[in-house]
Amino acid sequence: MENATYGPVLNSQLKYPVFTDSPVHAGLLQQADKGTTPAYPDTANAAYSDYQNAFSTPRMVQRVLVDKVDINTAMAQAQASCQKIYDQHAS
């Protein structure tokens, strides 16, 4: 556990010394205790999974930083991509 790069997953692990002795693990403990789910404020569902797998947000950042696309254009493209994904999952 001392060399692990993950936080506690069981309540019994909350008291392990590594989560107070190591600054990295202390941060993982805090994240496990007070963090939010990756999908927040959305819910983890098929649409969110498809959004993540499409790399829409990283692609938006790349378009601005690497491709020198105007930020408003890049955001509009990302929004359109995300909307298309969510529309496919609409019931």
Side-chain angles (χ1 to χ4, degrees):
M1 190 72 167
E2 293 175 13
N3 296 319
T5 57
Y6 47 83
V9 294
L10 303 172
N11 284 334
S12 62
Q13 297 172 337
L14 297 175
K15 303 256 189 250
Y16 285 5
V18 69
F19 293 116
T20 55
D21 296 346
S22 161
V24 170
H25 287 86
L28 293 172
L29 175 65
Q30 185 178 15
Q31 182 179 5
D33 184 41
K34 301 195 182 337
T36 59
T37 62
Y40 182 82
D42 197 357
T43 56
N45 56 31
Y48 180 77
S49 178
D50 285 352
Y51 155 76
Q52 286 290 88
N53 291 332
F55 297 101
S56 298
T57 302
R59 185 172 290 122
M60 175 186 66
V61 174
Q62 177 186 359
R63 297 282 289 144
V64 173
L65 297 178
V66 177
D67 301 337
K68 304 298 183 201
V69 172
D70 173 71
I71 192 168
N72 292 322
T73 301
M75 287 191 310
Q77 291 169 346
Q79 174 62 34
S81 170
C82 292
Q83 191 63 56
K84 183 177 178 182
I85 291 168
Y86 275 78
D87 287 347
Q88 291 172 347
H89 291 277
S91 39

